């Protein structure tokens, strides 16, 4: 037993002496350290909200039509209100897909003692969106994308009595001074755009958007405008479409991770 204790003690003393003997050499060793890298969160958003846009349409042809009826020019830009929903796609990093619908109108009217005359120009659009995001810093994203939508334009021109008696309605509509003209056409709209988005919180986002809409006559239907939903309108100027520069703002709620 004593021999074992003496043997173990000798081994320990020998190990300690070796450690102290190598002490000066140990100080020569240098250990390299790397700075801690923060893992960047991937871009993702899921939400929906209201959009408000101002589009600078070419209204020259519509205003010429208004003048022929003794009406003032329509005001521009045209205000368009709408709704948009979107979601990020995990399969493709920073890609976002969405759905939208919006529309607006502008009108010019004239009132006399007994008559009301009006021209109303209305447009609407519904379709899909694809955006790709770049995040320069936290909570702020720049997205480039494209809207593709099926759009419709309506021009309503009417003149009627300010007051019409129900019992005299059949005979009143036959008066030559009363009329109603409705012109309509469908379009395919292609709208490249860029979004500047700031996430105020993880659940609230504000957007500023700039885009240009290229409007093409409906490739899936008739290239002619319709008159009162039945007849055909010929020789309509090509400039009468929904093409134009647009500025949009939007407020969205959902999940904003960037």
């Amino acid at each position: 037993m004593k021999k074992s204790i003496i043997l173990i003690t000798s081994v320990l003393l020998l190990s300690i002496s070796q450690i102290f003997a190598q002490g000066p050499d140990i100080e020569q060793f240098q250990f390299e350290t790397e700075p801690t890298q923060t893992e960047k969160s991937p871009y993702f958003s899921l939400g929906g909200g209201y959009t408000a846009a101002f589009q600078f349409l070419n209204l020259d042809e519509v205003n010429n039509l208004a003048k022929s009826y003794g009406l003032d020019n329509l005001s521009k830009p045209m205000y368009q209100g709408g709704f948009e929903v979107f979601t990020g796609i995990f399969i493709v990093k920073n890609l976002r897909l969405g759905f939208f619908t919006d529309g607006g109108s502008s009108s010019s009217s004239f009132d006399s003692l007994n008559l009301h005359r009006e021209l109303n120009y209305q447009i609407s659009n519904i379709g899909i969106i694809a955006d790709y995001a770049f995040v320069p810093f936290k909570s702020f994203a720049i997205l480039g994308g494209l809207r593709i939508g099926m759009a419709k334009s309506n021009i309503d021109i009417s003149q009627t009595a300010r007051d019409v008696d129900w019992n005299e309605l059949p005979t009143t509509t036959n008066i030559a001074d009363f009329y109603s003209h409705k012109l309509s056409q469908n379009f395919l709209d292609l709208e490249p755009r860029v979004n500047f988005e700031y996430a105020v919180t993880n659940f609230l986002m504000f957007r500023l958007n700039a885009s240009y809409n290229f409007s093409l006559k409906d490739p899936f239907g008739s290239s002619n405008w319709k008159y009162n939903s039945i007849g055909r309108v010929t020789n309509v100027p090509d400039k009468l479409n929904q093409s134009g520069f647009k500025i949009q703002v939007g407020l969205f709620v959902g999940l904003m991770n960037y």
Side-chain angles (χ1 to χ4, degrees):
M1 184 69 178
K2 291 182 179 180
K3 290 182 179 181
S4 299
I5 295 173
I6 294 172
L7 180 60
I8 293 172
T9 303
S10 300
V11 172
L12 290 174
L13 291 174
L14 181 61
S15 300
I16 292 171
S17 64
Q18 289 293 325
I19 291 173
F20 280 103
Q22 296 176 3
D25 297 331
I26 292 177
E27 294 178 355
Q28 296 178 3
F29 288 100
Q30 295 182 356
F31 299 92
E32 295 183 358
T33 59
E34 295 183 357
T36 303
Q37 296 182 355
T38 304
E39 190 69 22
K40 189 176 181 180
S41 300
Y43 170 86
F44 181 80
S45 61
L46 170 67
Y50 182 79
T51 61
F54 296 91
Q55 185 171 2
F56 296 83
L57 296 166
N58 185 339
L59 299 178
D60 292 346
E61 300 300 337
V62 179
N63 287 332
N64 289 336
L65 186 61
K67 288 178 182 178
S68 67
Y69 283 89
L71 299 172
D72 294 332
N73 289 342
L74 279 66
S75 60
K76 61 179 182 179
M78 180 186 289
Y79 173 80
Q80 299 173 29
F83 183 77
E84 182 180 320
V85 294
F86 51 78
T87 180
I89 303 298
F90 290 106
I91 299 175
V92 181
K93 185 179 179 181
N94 290 13
L95 180 64
R96 188 177 74 186
L97 300 179
F99 169 85
F100 76 93
T101 178
D102 58 24
S105 64
S106 183
S107 63
S108 180
S109 62
F110 169 79
D111 286 293
S112 65
L113 184 61
N114 299 317
L115 296 175
H116 175 80
R117 186 186 311 143
E118 182 175 1
L119 185 150
N120 182 270
Y121 181 36
Q122 182 179 26
I123 66 175
S124 59
N125 200 347
I126 185 171
I128 58 175
I129 309 170
D131 290 319
Y132 188 83
F134 167 69
V135 184
F137 53 86
K138 183 175 175 57
S139 301
F140 181 75
I142 302 173
L143 299 93
L146 177 68
R147 285 196 349 167
I148 303 176
M150 293 304 301
K152 187 172 186 178
S153 291
N154 291 317
I155 301 176
D156 294 316
I157 311 164
S158 61
Q159 179 170 286
T160 183
R162 294 177 61 86
D163 298 298
V164 177
D165 190 306
W166 174 268
N167 297 317
E168 298 178 358
L169 190 60
T171 57
T172 301
T173 55
N174 292 328
I175 297 178
D177 288 339
F178 299 166
Y179 51 80
S180 178
H181 308 302
K182 181 177 181 179
L183 298 84
S184 61
Q185 174 64 294
N186 295 327
F187 294 92
L188 173 65
D189 284 356
L190 305 176
E191 187 177 333
R193 66 183 203 159
V194 58
N195 298 332
F196 302 93
E197 298 182 352
Y198 179 71
V200 182
T201 70
N202 289 338
F203 309 101
L204 182 66
M205 180 264 286
F206 175 79
R207 170 198 293 169
L208 176 62
N209 165 290
S211 64
Y212 190 91
N213 186 37
F214 296 93
S215 188
L216 311 172
K217 286 186 179 179
D218 185 6
F220 311 107
S222 174
S223 60
N224 292 306
W225 285 65
K226 287 186 177 180
Y227 178 74
N228 288 343
S229 302
I230 301 174
R232 185 176 63 177
V233 185
T234 60
N235 299 319
V236 178
D238 291 334
K239 293 181 180 179
L240 187 51
N241 54 44
Q242 296 188 17
S243 296
F245 178 72
K246 183 188 297 182
I247 297 175
Q248 181 196 83
V249 294
L251 188 63
F252 300 88
V253 295
L255 178 61
M256 315 299 168
N257 182 30
Y258 52 97

